[in-house]
Amino acid sequence: MLKSGATIGILGGGQLGRMLALAAANLGYRTHIYSPEENSCAFDVAHVITKAPYEDEKALAEFAQVVDVITYEFENVPAATATFLAARKQVLPDPRVLEATQDRLIEKDFVKGLKIPTAPYAPVHSATQLAEGIEKVGLPAVLKTRTLGYDGKGQAKIAKAADAIDAWRSVKNAPCILEGFVKFQREVSVVAARDKAGKVVCFDITENQHRDHILKVSRVPARVPPSTEREARRIATKIADALDYVGVLAVEMFAVKRGRATELLVNEIAPRVHNSGHWTIDGATVSQFEQHIRAIAGLPLGKPLRLGRVEMINLIGAEIEEATRWMKVPGASVHVYGKKEARPGRKMGHVTRVRPQR
Ligand code: AMP
C-alpha cells in the first residue's frame, strides 16, 4: 500500500491528469506531472512538474527516481517511454496494456479473441486491400487509422464504393482498419476499476451522445434493459481480467437492436479514466479518479453508489463562456479545466447535473 504523502507520477498533463491529481490529493498523496506541453492544465494542481519530451531519457530517469509509482492519463504514451520507465519504477496499468490498445487492429483482434462481439472489420494497408475489405465488411463502412486517432480524427466514412479512393487518400495511405458502419440504437460505456488482487468494480453503464465525433453528453442510467447492463459489466470485467489490469479503464460499446434483444459490440478500450466517467465526481460516492488512485495505490476499491439521475455535459471550445450561466442552474456542478485557449473542439470544462431519484 502506498503510504500517505507518497508521490504518484502521472504521464500526461491534460484534464484527466488534473482530475487524477485532485483525487490523489484528497487521499493524502502528492502528484508529479510529466508532460511535454507548455501550458498543461494538470501542472496547476500538482506538487512537482516536469516539462520535457517523452523521448528525454535524462528527464524520464529523474522522474522515475523521485516518484513512488507511475501511471498515465492517455494511451498514446510512446512504447519506448513506458518500457524505459517500467525498468526503473512500477508503471500501472502495466505498459503491455498500451500495446493492446494503441493499435485499433490489435485491439479488435484481442477483443475478438475473447469472443466478445465487435463491428465486422478488416485490415487495410493498400488500395487493393481496401477493395477486399469493402467486400468483406460491406458498405457503409468507416476507415480508421490503426494508431493515433481520437475524437473522429484519422477517420473517413465510406458510403459508396466510389468514395473509397478519397477515403484512402484522406488517411494519407496510413495503415488502417475498415469497420462496417454500425446502425446502433445508442452508444454506451462501462468504466471499471480493477485492483491488484483482481477484484473488479464497475460504475453504472453510461449512455453517450456525440457531436462532431466528440462526446457531448453522458447520461446515467443508460436506457438499456437490466440484462444489457449485466452484459456490459461482464464484457468490461472480462477485458480487465484478460489484461491483468490495475486501475480504471473504459470500454465503449454500440448497443444494437436485434429483434427484441439488444446486442453490445465493443468499439474501443480506453486504458485510463474516461470522459464518460466524469459524472462520477458529483454523481457517485466515489469518483473514477479516486478509484484509479485507490487501485494503483493498493487501497481498497470503493463500492460507488449513484446519487440520482445524472447528466454530464462537456463544455467544448467557446462553450466554456457558458460556465457562469451553468453555475446558476439548480443542481449543477461546474468544472473548468483552466486551459488557456478555447480552440474549437477542445474540451474546456464540464457540467454535471444530479437529480435525486425517489
Ligand atoms: P472512435 O474514435 O472509434 O471512438 O469513434 C468515434 C465515434 O465515431 C464513435 O463514438 C461513433 O459515434 C462513431 N463510430 C466509430 N466507429 C463506428 C462504426 N463502426 N459504426 C458507426 N459509428 C462509428
Side-chain angles (χ1 to χ4, degrees):
M1 195 178 93
L2 209 57
K3 286 205 198 76
S4 185
T7 302
I8 297 173
I10 300 175
L11 296 168
Q15 67 271 17
L16 301 179
R18 181 179 169 104
M19 291 185 268
L20 280 170
L22 294 170
N26 225 16
L27 291 173
Y29 297 122
R30 292 174 168 171
T31 45
H32 182 154
I33 305 283
Y34 189 112
S35 167
E37 273 143 48
E38 186 76 46
N39 291 319
S40 294
C41 68
F43 284 165
D44 301 345
V45 298
H47 186 63
V48 187
I49 65 161
T50 298
K51 194 184 78 60
Y54 288 122
E55 295 73 28
D56 184 340
E57 293 196 346
K58 187 165 168 284
L60 290 172
E62 278 169 19
F63 172 70
Q65 198 168 17
V66 297
V67 301
D68 296 293
V69 64
I70 298 171
T71 190
Y72 40 89
E73 59 115 52
F74 79 122
E75 59 272 48
N76 287 320
V77 173
T81 307
T83 313
F84 181 89
L85 290 171
R88 287 158 181 81
K89 196 57 51 84
Q90 186 171 41
V91 179
L92 291 173
D94 190 287
R96 273 175 308 149
V97 165
L98 296 172
E99 288 162 31
T101 55
Q102 280 178 345
D103 180 318
R104 289 183 190 273
L105 182 61
I106 296 174
E107 182 179 69
K108 284 274 188 319
D109 286 345
F110 164 71
V111 173
K112 192 174 161 190
L114 295 176
K115 302 198 166 32
I116 296 169
T118 66
Y121 66 93
V124 173
H125 295 151
S126 65
T128 318
Q129 249 189 338
L130 177 55
E132 289 163 9
I134 291 173
E135 280 288 301
K136 183 176 166 199
V137 310
L139 290 176
V142 196
L143 187 66
K144 302 180 179 180
T145 54
R146 283 177 57 172
T147 57
L148 298 175
Y150 69 99
D151 286 348
K153 294 188 176 71
Q155 290 192 18
K157 192 170 171 189
I158 304 178
K160 49 189 191 311
D163 299 341
I165 286 304
D166 278 349
W168 180 236
R169 279 203 200 105
S170 80
V171 297
K172 301 191 176 65
N173 304 4
C176 278
I177 174 171
L178 184 74
E179 288 178 22
F181 192 80
V182 178
K183 290 189 196 67
F184 53 80
Q185 188 187 29
R186 24 191 139 264
E187 290 191 73
V188 298
S189 58
V190 180
V191 176
R194 188 170 183 276
D195 70 13
K196 291 180 178 178
K199 178 182 163 192
V200 176
V201 178
C202 298
F203 287 95
D204 287 350
I205 179 171
T206 305
E207 184 169 335
N208 302 314
Q209 195 181 312
H210 293 78
R211 190 184 65 194
D212 302 330
H213 293 280
I214 302 172
L215 181 66
K216 180 56 190 162
V217 185
S218 288
R219 292 188 184 89
V220 204
R223 289 168 295 168
V224 294
S227 57
T228 305
E229 170 113 27
R230 278 195 299 277
E231 176 62 2
R233 288 169 187 261
R234 189 191 68 81
I235 289 173
T237 304
K238 193 162 186 186
I239 289 173
D241 284 344
L243 292 169
D244 197 16
Y245 199 87
V246 177
V248 161
L249 95 176
V251 184
E252 296 176 36
M253 307 172 192
F254 300 128
V256 183
K257 269 267 171 251
R258 302 261 189 248
R260 298 176 80 193
T262 303
E263 190 187 17
L264 292 170
L265 308 180
V266 167
N267 176 37
E268 214 171 25
I269 303 166
R272 53 170 170 78
V273 286
H274 192 256
N275 196 170
S276 69
H278 288 4
W279 65 268
T280 59
I281 301 177
D282 305 299
T285 49
V286 182
S287 77
Q288 63 163 346
F289 301 99
E290 180 169 341
Q291 281 291 64
H292 184 77
I293 299 293
R294 288 193 195 194
I296 64 167
L299 295 171
L301 293 180
K303 178 82 194 90
L305 297 178
R306 186 161 49 80
L307 303 175
R309 301 186 74 79
V310 192
E311 188 175 54
M312 188 287 309
I313 302 144
N314 270 340
L315 300 178
I316 299 166
E319 287 170 357
I320 194 64
E321 287 161 25
E322 297 164 18
T324 43
R325 184 180 66 75
W326 276 110
M327 288 177 196
K328 297 179 204 154
V329 174
S333 306
V334 180
H335 299 254
V336 178
Y337 305 149
K339 294 183 184 175
K340 302 264 176 315
E341 229 187 305
R343 289 194 295 272
R346 198 169 193 211
K347 291 171 182 166
M348 300 298 294
H350 74 266
V351 176
T352 315
R353 304 182 73 180
V354 183
R355 296 177 184 83
Q357 244 164 346
R358 261 176 263 276

